[in-house]
Amino acid sequence: MSDEKGSGEPAKLPRSLYEPELYRLQTELVKLQEWVRVEGARLVVVFEGRDAAGKGSTIKRVTEHLNPRVARIVALPRPTERERGQWYFQRYAEHLPAAGEMVLLDRSWYNRAGVERVMGFCTMEEYQRFLRQCPIFERMLVEDGILLRKYWFSVSDAVQEERFRRRLRDPTRRWKLSPMDLESITRWEAYSRAKDEMFVHTDISEAPWYVVESDDKRRARLNMIAHLLSSVPYEAVSPPVIELPPRPPATGYQRPPRNLQTYVPDHASHLRK
């Protein structure tokens, strides 16, 4: 049903099943990270899909226990005037991983095939050039040894709208609802056509698209992470043996009086059950 006209959100995966499996998969992600670091591998994971499809929350679960020096999230803002004068892929190439790094792209060069195409932010010539060059660009990345994984998060219109309504009601998430999000409601079919055409040109054997059904976010997160782990030939890396040294005996140090320092007020002490 996802990415089509839907009738509503399906029953969620129970938390009792979701949380233990998420933790197990996150433990494997730590092993993957260490393998990438030690082996000098380069991993790029592209997260694409409609607004409110669950990309951001999945990225958070992927990186929750990872080292930010190894696993970087890249979410680029609008291009500057200078970047608009560059080769389209240039600003993205700057963020590709070096040896021993993972890069997670929260939206990517596929902006041109989606938002820019539907909203008229690029010319037809620029769009068609993208469709020609993108497979070449990605084949070059793979040929150079980069592990490239591309995930499309697929959501139905009914679930997307309900998530937008929840954002409106939640003051901590209202910032996520942008004018572009509202446009995605009125241009649902235009985005569908753009996605279909994008797949025709860029679903290549060297870097295929993997579709994640995301009406149920819990299932989507588990499915995406499990697939990523299964697609990379990582192995557990033996950690170095670490032993805590004995604490040395005291030598007479005394902490300065508390009244000489400014402490954060104890806000928590005012809370009541």
Side-chain angles (χ1 to χ4, degrees):
M1 296 255 327
S2 298
D3 270 345
E4 301 174 359
K5 298 293 183 180
S7 59
E9 195 165 359
K12 289 183 178 179
L13 183 71
R15 191 175 294 276
S16 60
L17 296 177
Y18 167 71
E19 291 185 344
E21 179 61 8
L22 176 63
Y23 185 75
R24 186 189 73 81
L25 292 173
Q26 289 176 326
T27 302
E28 290 299 314
L29 284 170
V30 173
K31 296 178 184 178
L32 170 64
Q33 167 195 262
E34 287 304 290
W35 176 83
V36 166
R37 184 183 64 81
V38 171
E39 295 297 321
R42 292 171 292 165
L43 175 61
V44 175
V45 186
V46 170
F47 291 79
E48 287 288 347
R50 293 182 185 270
D51 298 311
K55 302 179 297 297
S57 63
T58 302
I59 291 172
K60 287 180 181 179
R61 295 339 183 262
V62 170
T63 59
E64 187 173 3
H65 301 291
L66 301 186
N67 182 346
R69 292 185 177 88
V70 177
R72 292 186 288 112
I73 301 172
V74 174
L76 298 185
R78 294 178 181 178
T80 64
E81 284 299 320
R82 181 176 183 277
E83 288 171 335
R84 290 191 185 98
Q86 295 175 342
W87 176 47
Y88 177 72
F89 293 95
Q90 188 170 337
R91 69 194 294 249
Y92 295 100
E94 293 177 0
H95 297 276
L96 292 173
E101 293 180 349
M102 303 166 53
V103 169
L104 286 70
L105 290 170
D106 187 355
R107 294 205 181 277
S108 64
W109 45 83
Y110 284 101
N111 252 10
R112 174 136 295 175
V115 173
E116 291 190 17
R117 170 71 181 96
V118 173
M119 299 301 298
F121 295 156
C122 66
T123 66
M124 182 57 68
E125 180 184 359
E126 290 172 329
Y127 170 67
Q128 292 175 343
R129 185 186 308 131
F130 170 84
L131 294 180
R132 291 194 303 270
Q133 291 186 351
C134 184
I136 299 171
F137 175 67
E138 292 183 352
R139 286 188 180 104
M140 290 173 63
L141 299 183
V142 174
E143 183 181 354
D144 202 60
I146 288 178
L147 300 169
L148 177 60
R149 301 293 182 268
K150 304 183 319 195
Y151 292 97
W152 177 269
F153 283 71
S154 183
V155 66
S156 65
D157 63 336
V159 173
Q160 184 196 54
E161 184 172 345
E162 175 54 30
R163 289 175 183 172
F164 284 164
R165 294 188 186 281
R166 287 204 296 266
R167 288 180 180 182
L168 276 174
R169 298 191 295 265
D170 187 343
T172 67
R173 294 193 295 170
R174 184 160 182 160
W175 63 270
K176 292 184 175 183
L177 198 58
S178 69
M180 291 297 102
D181 295 329
L182 302 181
E183 286 282 354
S184 70
I185 296 177
T186 59
R187 299 176 187 245
W188 180 271
E189 291 189 359
Y191 272 104
S192 294
R193 294 189 183 98
K195 175 254 184 181
D196 291 344
E197 186 170 4
M198 178 185 80
F199 268 44
V200 168
H201 291 271
T202 63
D203 188 17
I204 58 177
S205 59
E206 297 88 345
W209 277 106
Y210 297 104
V211 179
V212 181
E213 293 283 0
S214 62
D215 275 7
D216 179 354
K217 285 188 177 182
R218 293 174 185 169
R219 293 178 190 273
R221 294 164 190 161
L222 298 184
N223 292 342
M224 179 267 151
I225 296 172
H227 181 272
L228 174 64
L229 291 167
S230 71
S231 73
V232 179
Y234 73 98
E235 298 176 351
V237 176
S238 299
V241 178
I242 298 176
E243 294 183 3
L244 292 179
R247 191 176 297 277
T251 59
Y253 167 79
Q254 293 186 351
R255 185 174 180 174
R258 292 176 62 90
N259 61 5
L260 297 181
Q261 298 173 340
T262 303
Y263 284 81
V264 172
D266 188 4
H267 169 78
S269 67
H270 300 290
L271 300 179
R272 297 290 182 268
K273 292 183 179 179

